[in-house]
Short mmCIF file of all heavy atoms in Angstrom, two decimals:
data_model
loop_
_atom_site.label_atom_id
_atom_site.label_comp_id
_atom_site.label_asym_id
_atom_site.label_seq_id
_atom_site.Cartn_x
_atom_site.Cartn_y
_atom_site.Cartn_z
N ASN A 122 2.81 4.83 -2.53
CA ASN A 122 3.79 5.02 -3.60
C ASN A 122 5.19 5.11 -3.01
O ASN A 122 5.54 6.09 -2.34
CB ASN A 122 3.48 6.28 -4.40
CG ASN A 122 4.38 6.45 -5.61
OD1 ASN A 122 5.31 5.67 -5.83
ND2 ASN A 122 4.11 7.47 -6.41
N MET A 124 7.88 5.81 -4.33
CA MET A 124 8.72 6.88 -4.87
C MET A 124 8.71 8.13 -3.99
O MET A 124 9.58 8.99 -4.12
CB MET A 124 8.25 7.28 -6.28
CG MET A 124 8.48 6.24 -7.34
SD MET A 124 7.97 6.80 -8.99
CE MET A 124 9.31 7.93 -9.41
N VAL A 164 -1.28 8.77 -6.15
CA VAL A 164 0.02 8.48 -6.75
C VAL A 164 1.00 9.63 -6.63
O VAL A 164 2.22 9.43 -6.57
CB VAL A 164 -0.17 8.06 -8.23
CG1 VAL A 164 -0.65 9.23 -9.07
CG2 VAL A 164 1.11 7.47 -8.79
N ALA A 165 0.52 10.87 -6.57
CA ALA A 165 1.41 12.02 -6.50
C ALA A 165 1.98 12.24 -5.11
O ALA A 165 2.87 13.08 -4.93
CB ALA A 165 0.69 13.27 -6.98
N TYR A 401 5.72 -0.42 -3.68
CA TYR A 401 6.17 -0.33 -5.07
C TYR A 401 6.32 1.14 -5.46
O TYR A 401 5.63 2.02 -4.96
CB TYR A 401 5.16 -0.98 -6.01
CG TYR A 401 5.24 -2.48 -6.12
CD1 TYR A 401 4.20 -3.29 -5.67
CD2 TYR A 401 6.34 -3.09 -6.70
CE1 TYR A 401 4.26 -4.67 -5.79
CE2 TYR A 401 6.42 -4.48 -6.82
CZ TYR A 401 5.37 -5.26 -6.36
OH TYR A 401 5.44 -6.62 -6.48
N ARG A 402 7.19 1.39 -6.41
CA ARG A 402 7.28 2.70 -7.03
C ARG A 402 6.13 2.80 -8.03
O ARG A 402 5.84 1.84 -8.75
CB ARG A 402 8.65 2.88 -7.68
CG ARG A 402 9.78 2.68 -6.69
CD ARG A 402 11.13 2.73 -7.32
NE ARG A 402 11.56 4.09 -7.61
CZ ARG A 402 12.04 4.93 -6.69
NH1 ARG A 402 12.15 4.57 -5.41
NH2 ARG A 402 12.43 6.16 -7.03
N ASN A 403 5.45 3.93 -8.06
CA ASN A 403 4.21 4.08 -8.84
C ASN A 403 4.26 5.30 -9.74
O ASN A 403 4.75 6.37 -9.33
CB ASN A 403 3.01 4.28 -7.89
CG ASN A 403 2.51 3.00 -7.28
OD1 ASN A 403 1.41 2.55 -7.59
ND2 ASN A 403 3.28 2.41 -6.38
N HIS A 404 3.71 5.17 -10.93
CA HIS A 404 3.40 6.32 -11.78
C HIS A 404 2.20 5.94 -12.64
O HIS A 404 2.23 4.94 -13.35
CB HIS A 404 4.59 6.71 -12.66
CG HIS A 404 4.36 8.00 -13.38
ND1 HIS A 404 4.64 9.23 -12.82
CD2 HIS A 404 3.84 8.26 -14.61
CE1 HIS A 404 4.33 10.19 -13.65
NE2 HIS A 404 3.84 9.64 -14.76
N TRP A 405 1.15 6.74 -12.56
CA TRP A 405 -0.07 6.47 -13.31
C TRP A 405 -0.40 7.65 -14.21
O TRP A 405 0.00 8.78 -13.96
CB TRP A 405 -1.28 6.25 -12.39
CG TRP A 405 -1.04 5.44 -11.17
CD1 TRP A 405 -0.08 4.49 -10.96
CD2 TRP A 405 -1.81 5.50 -9.96
NE1 TRP A 405 -0.20 3.96 -9.70
CE2 TRP A 405 -1.25 4.57 -9.07
CE3 TRP A 405 -2.90 6.25 -9.56
CZ2 TRP A 405 -1.75 4.37 -7.78
CZ3 TRP A 405 -3.41 6.06 -8.29
CH2 TRP A 405 -2.85 5.11 -7.41
N SER A 406 -1.19 7.39 -15.22
CA SER A 406 -1.75 8.46 -16.03
C SER A 406 -3.06 7.95 -16.63
O SER A 406 -3.51 6.84 -16.29
CB SER A 406 -0.77 8.92 -17.11
OG SER A 406 -1.22 10.14 -17.68
N SER A 434 3.59 -3.67 -13.61
CA SER A 434 2.75 -2.64 -14.22
C SER A 434 1.63 -3.25 -15.06
O SER A 434 1.77 -4.35 -15.59
CB SER A 434 3.60 -1.73 -15.09
OG SER A 434 4.59 -1.06 -14.33
N GLN A 435 0.55 -2.49 -15.18
CA GLN A 435 -0.61 -2.95 -15.93
C GLN A 435 -1.03 -1.87 -16.93
O GLN A 435 -1.09 -0.68 -16.58
CB GLN A 435 -1.77 -3.25 -14.98
CG GLN A 435 -1.46 -4.31 -13.94
CD GLN A 435 -2.48 -4.34 -12.82
OE1 GLN A 435 -3.51 -3.66 -12.88
NE2 GLN A 435 -2.21 -5.13 -11.80
N HIS A 463 -5.69 3.58 -18.96
CA HIS A 463 -5.07 3.88 -17.68
C HIS A 463 -3.75 3.11 -17.54
O HIS A 463 -3.74 1.96 -17.10
CB HIS A 463 -6.03 3.48 -16.55
CG HIS A 463 -5.54 3.76 -15.16
ND1 HIS A 463 -4.77 4.85 -14.84
CD2 HIS A 463 -5.73 3.09 -13.98
CE1 HIS A 463 -4.51 4.85 -13.55
NE2 HIS A 463 -5.07 3.78 -13.01
N PRO A 464 -2.62 3.72 -17.93
CA PRO A 464 -1.33 3.09 -17.63
C PRO A 464 -1.06 3.14 -16.13
O PRO A 464 -0.98 4.22 -15.55
CB PRO A 464 -0.32 3.93 -18.41
CG PRO A 464 -1.00 5.24 -18.66
CD PRO A 464 -2.47 4.97 -18.68
N PHE A 465 -0.94 1.97 -15.52
CA PHE A 465 -0.81 1.86 -14.07
C PHE A 465 0.57 1.27 -13.78
O PHE A 465 0.76 0.06 -13.78
CB PHE A 465 -1.93 0.95 -13.55
CG PHE A 465 -2.05 0.90 -12.04
CD1 PHE A 465 -2.72 1.90 -11.36
CD2 PHE A 465 -1.51 -0.14 -11.31
CE1 PHE A 465 -2.85 1.86 -9.97
CE2 PHE A 465 -1.62 -0.20 -9.93
CZ PHE A 465 -2.29 0.81 -9.27
N GLY A 466 1.54 2.16 -13.58
CA GLY A 466 2.92 1.74 -13.45
C GLY A 466 3.29 1.35 -12.04
O GLY A 466 3.08 2.11 -11.10
N LEU A 467 3.84 0.14 -11.89
CA LEU A 467 4.32 -0.37 -10.60
C LEU A 467 5.65 -1.08 -10.86
O LEU A 467 5.73 -1.91 -11.75
CB LEU A 467 3.33 -1.39 -10.01
CG LEU A 467 1.93 -0.94 -9.62
CD1 LEU A 467 1.02 -2.15 -9.49
CD2 LEU A 467 1.98 -0.20 -8.30
N TRP A 468 6.67 -0.76 -10.05
CA TRP A 468 7.96 -1.42 -10.24
C TRP A 468 8.79 -1.26 -8.96
O TRP A 468 8.47 -0.44 -8.08
CB TRP A 468 8.68 -0.86 -11.46
CG TRP A 468 9.11 0.57 -11.33
CD1 TRP A 468 10.34 1.05 -11.00
CD2 TRP A 468 8.29 1.74 -11.53
NE1 TRP A 468 10.36 2.43 -10.98
CE2 TRP A 468 9.10 2.87 -11.30
CE3 TRP A 468 6.95 1.94 -11.89
CZ2 TRP A 468 8.61 4.17 -11.41
CZ3 TRP A 468 6.47 3.23 -11.98
CH2 TRP A 468 7.30 4.33 -11.75
N ASP A 474 12.82 4.02 -13.15
CA ASP A 474 11.92 5.17 -13.02
C ASP A 474 11.65 5.85 -14.37
O ASP A 474 10.49 6.04 -14.76
CB ASP A 474 12.50 6.20 -12.05
CG ASP A 474 12.41 5.77 -10.59
OD1 ASP A 474 11.89 4.66 -10.34
OD2 ASP A 474 12.85 6.53 -9.72
N ALA A 477 9.67 3.68 -16.85
CA ALA A 477 8.27 3.49 -16.48
C ALA A 477 7.45 4.74 -16.76
O ALA A 477 6.33 4.66 -17.27
CB ALA A 477 8.17 3.10 -15.01
N VAL A 478 8.00 5.89 -16.43
CA VAL A 478 7.29 7.15 -16.68
C VAL A 478 7.12 7.36 -18.19
O VAL A 478 6.04 7.77 -18.66
CB VAL A 478 8.03 8.33 -16.02
CG1 VAL A 478 7.40 9.66 -16.45
CG2 VAL A 478 7.99 8.19 -14.50
N ALA A 479 8.16 7.07 -18.96
CA ALA A 479 8.08 7.22 -20.41
C ALA A 479 7.03 6.30 -21.00
O ALA A 479 6.28 6.68 -21.92
CB ALA A 479 9.45 6.94 -21.03
N TRP A 480 6.92 5.08 -20.47
CA TRP A 480 5.89 4.15 -20.95
C TRP A 480 4.49 4.71 -20.68
O TRP A 480 3.63 4.72 -21.56
CB TRP A 480 6.05 2.79 -20.28
CG TRP A 480 4.79 1.98 -20.35
CD1 TRP A 480 4.26 1.38 -21.45
CD2 TRP A 480 3.86 1.74 -19.28
NE1 TRP A 480 3.07 0.76 -21.12
CE2 TRP A 480 2.81 0.97 -19.80
CE3 TRP A 480 3.84 2.09 -17.94
CZ2 TRP A 480 1.73 0.56 -19.02
CZ3 TRP A 480 2.76 1.68 -17.15
CH2 TRP A 480 1.73 0.93 -17.70
N ALA A 481 4.26 5.18 -19.45
CA ALA A 481 2.94 5.68 -19.08
C ALA A 481 2.53 6.87 -19.96
O ALA A 481 1.42 6.92 -20.49
CB ALA A 481 2.91 6.08 -17.61
N HIS A 482 3.45 7.80 -20.14
CA HIS A 482 3.13 8.96 -20.96
C HIS A 482 3.06 8.59 -22.44
O HIS A 482 2.28 9.19 -23.20
CB HIS A 482 4.17 10.05 -20.72
CG HIS A 482 4.09 10.65 -19.35
ND1 HIS A 482 4.88 11.70 -18.93
CD2 HIS A 482 3.31 10.34 -18.28
CE1 HIS A 482 4.59 12.00 -17.69
NE2 HIS A 482 3.65 11.18 -17.26
N ARG A 485 -0.38 7.12 -23.06
CA ARG A 485 -1.36 8.21 -23.04
C ARG A 485 -1.30 9.00 -24.35
O ARG A 485 -2.33 9.28 -24.97
CB ARG A 485 -1.03 9.13 -21.86
CG ARG A 485 -1.99 10.29 -21.65
CD ARG A 485 -1.39 11.26 -20.63
NE ARG A 485 -0.25 11.98 -21.22
CZ ARG A 485 0.64 12.65 -20.51
NH1 ARG A 485 0.57 12.66 -19.18
NH2 ARG A 485 1.61 13.31 -21.10
N PHE A 500 -6.87 9.40 -11.40
CA PHE A 500 -6.08 8.43 -12.16
C PHE A 500 -4.69 8.95 -12.52
O PHE A 500 -3.91 8.21 -13.13
CB PHE A 500 -6.80 8.04 -13.45
CG PHE A 500 -7.70 6.84 -13.33
CD1 PHE A 500 -7.85 6.15 -12.14
CD2 PHE A 500 -8.42 6.39 -14.44
CE1 PHE A 500 -8.68 5.04 -12.06
CE2 PHE A 500 -9.26 5.28 -14.36
CZ PHE A 500 -9.38 4.60 -13.17
N ILE A 501 -4.38 10.20 -12.23
CA ILE A 501 -3.11 10.76 -12.67
C ILE A 501 -2.35 11.35 -11.49
O ILE A 501 -2.89 11.60 -10.42
CB ILE A 501 -3.30 11.83 -13.76
CG1 ILE A 501 -3.94 13.10 -13.18
CG2 ILE A 501 -4.13 11.28 -14.91
CD1 ILE A 501 -3.97 14.26 -14.16
N GLY A 502 -1.07 11.59 -11.71
CA GLY A 502 -0.24 12.26 -10.73
C GLY A 502 -0.26 13.76 -10.95
O GLY A 502 -1.25 14.33 -11.42
N ASP A 503 0.86 14.41 -10.64
CA ASP A 503 0.96 15.86 -10.81
C ASP A 503 1.36 16.14 -12.25
O ASP A 503 2.54 16.11 -12.60
CB ASP A 503 2.01 16.40 -9.83
CG ASP A 503 2.02 17.91 -9.79
OD1 ASP A 503 1.33 18.53 -10.62
OD2 ASP A 503 2.73 18.48 -8.93
N GLU A 504 0.39 16.43 -13.11
CA GLU A 504 0.65 16.65 -14.53
C GLU A 504 0.39 18.09 -14.95
O GLU A 504 0.27 18.38 -16.15
CB GLU A 504 -0.18 15.67 -15.37
CG GLU A 504 0.19 14.21 -15.13
CD GLU A 504 -0.49 13.24 -16.08
OE1 GLU A 504 -1.20 13.69 -17.00
OE2 GLU A 504 -0.30 12.02 -15.90
#
Side-chain angles (χ1 to χ4, degrees):
N122 186 355
M124 291 183 75
V164 68
Y401 279 115
R402 304 175 77 78
N403 281 248
H404 188 86
W405 319 335
S406 193
S434 298
Q435 300 166 8
H463 181 35
F465 189 81
L467 296 162
W468 67 98
D474 286 0
V478 172
W480 160 72
H482 292 184
R485 183 191 71 196
F500 268 0
I501 70 172
D503 189 352
E504 297 188 5

